[in-house]
Amino acid sequence: MERPVKDGILYVQHSKFGKRSWRKMRAQLFAASPSGVARMEKFDVRDDGTMLEKSSLRRCARRVIRLSDCVSVGPVGTESCPKDTAAFYLNTTEKSYVLAAEQRDEWISQLCQLAFQGTKEALQSSARTQPSPNVHMEENSLYSSWQNLTEFLVLVLRTDAAARCGLHGHYLLAALPQSLTLKDPQSRQPLLTWPYPFLRKFGQDQTVFSFEAGRRSDSGEGTFSFSTPRAPELCRAVAAAIACQQQQGKDAPE
């Protein structure tokens, strides 16, 4: 019988008609094994806690999040967490979740360990094949600027420009050194690219990142908005990329 590596109470944020609320649930994390894949299982519970016993737990509605589908996990700031809890996000290829827990850092640590084991093993394998320390290697001055820029799982919000381009559902929005690139979440193939010089303006409001594309963009001119718990991080990544391009332009020979 499988035993969870972590078991406890979480709160899931829901949004309905513009109002956000928290739903209490019980969550269990399972490592990959011959009996099943690495996953989070969620169960509905009552506020009075009467369904926390195992016999009651089996009768609850169970929902499963496959951690192999996990794209990113991390803390997120929010003003309305349940008492004595802190919020974090869990982004998968299918959906973005905002969760809250009393032991937020422990949940994040366990989720990362279970979701990204393959990445860790690949890094360890790579470390065993590093070049000899006697080989002279130059520092890449650009690496520190871009090493933390990642792909962001986003949910496209309806705008006239998004409707014209046929965008709906979840995508990966990559803040690359030269452009913003929208990718298919499954194949990771580029769908639309917006070079930074073609962006008229951009910004974020809590969990929404927006920008206005100019007419020279592949998408044509218009405003695009994306929902993501990492909106502030995405906005900072775009600002850093634009600043880097501007500096490179100043340093270029005449």
Side-chain angles (χ1 to χ4, degrees):
M1 180 178 178
E2 286 185 288
R3 291 194 176 187
V5 296
K6 188 163 184 60
D7 185 346
I9 296 297
L10 291 182
Y11 295 84
V12 186
Q13 188 181 82
H14 292 270
S15 181
K16 190 173 183 180
F17 304 118
K19 294 186 64 177
R20 294 176 183 173
S21 61
W22 294 93
R23 179 183 298 168
K24 188 176 183 180
M25 70 174 190
R26 183 169 180 174
Q28 296 179 330
L29 297 181
F30 293 89
S33 71
S35 303
V37 298
R39 65 196 184 277
M40 173 192 282
E41 294 188 1
K42 303 185 300 176
F43 304 86
D44 289 329
V45 296
R46 294 198 182 110
D47 290 336
D48 59 14
T50 56
M51 299 189 76
L52 296 184
E53 297 180 1
K54 291 184 178 179
S55 59
S56 299
L57 191 60
R58 285 194 292 268
R59 294 196 295 270
C60 296
R62 184 183 72 165
R63 291 175 294 279
V64 176
I65 299 175
R66 292 169 57 95
L67 296 183
S68 60
D69 295 334
C70 182
V71 176
S72 57
V73 184
V76 61
T78 183
E79 300 176 357
S80 57
C81 287
K83 185 178 179 181
D84 298 327
T85 67
F88 64 99
Y89 64 83
L90 171 61
N91 291 335
T92 73
T93 56
E94 299 295 327
K95 190 175 180 180
S96 297
Y97 301 88
V98 177
L99 308 167
E102 292 184 3
Q103 301 172 327
R104 177 183 69 177
D105 293 343
E106 290 186 18
W107 282 98
I108 292 175
S109 177
Q110 282 288 354
L111 282 165
C112 288
Q113 184 176 347
L114 296 176
F116 307 125
Q117 280 181 345
T119 301
K120 182 178 179 181
E121 292 168 359
L123 290 173
Q124 290 173 341
S125 174
S126 175
R128 291 193 293 268
T129 58
Q130 291 298 311
S132 166
N134 296 323
V135 176
H136 177 71
M137 301 180 70
E138 295 290 339
E139 291 289 338
N140 179 2
S141 60
L142 293 179
Y143 177 70
S144 60
S145 300
W146 302 112
Q147 61 180 335
N148 294 323
L149 298 188
T150 58
E151 295 174 332
F152 300 80
L153 184 68
V154 298
L155 175 65
V156 68
L157 302 180
R158 182 172 177 80
T159 64
D160 290 343
R164 184 182 67 247
C165 295
L167 301 181
H168 57 85
H170 287 86
Y171 297 90
L172 290 174
L173 187 58
L176 301 178
Q178 304 297 326
S179 65
L180 270 174
T181 299
L182 195 69
K183 299 182 179 182
D184 181 276
Q186 300 294 336
S187 66
R188 284 182 160 74
Q189 291 298 310
L191 301 175
L192 282 172
T193 297
W194 295 278
Y196 294 122
F198 295 172
L199 299 186
R200 291 174 178 166
K201 50 189 176 182
F202 66 94
Q204 59 90 20
D205 178 15
Q206 294 184 342
T207 60
V208 175
F209 172 76
S210 301
F211 64 86
E212 183 180 338
R215 65 176 181 274
R216 288 196 296 167
S217 302
D218 294 342
S219 64
E221 61 183 341
T223 299
F224 295 85
S225 295
F226 303 90
S227 175
T228 170
R230 301 173 65 196
E233 186 180 346
L234 173 54
C235 194
R236 288 194 297 268
V238 173
I242 292 174
C244 188
Q245 273 199 11
Q246 290 174 334
Q247 185 61 42
Q248 288 174 346
K250 292 178 183 178
D251 296 340
E254 295 182 1

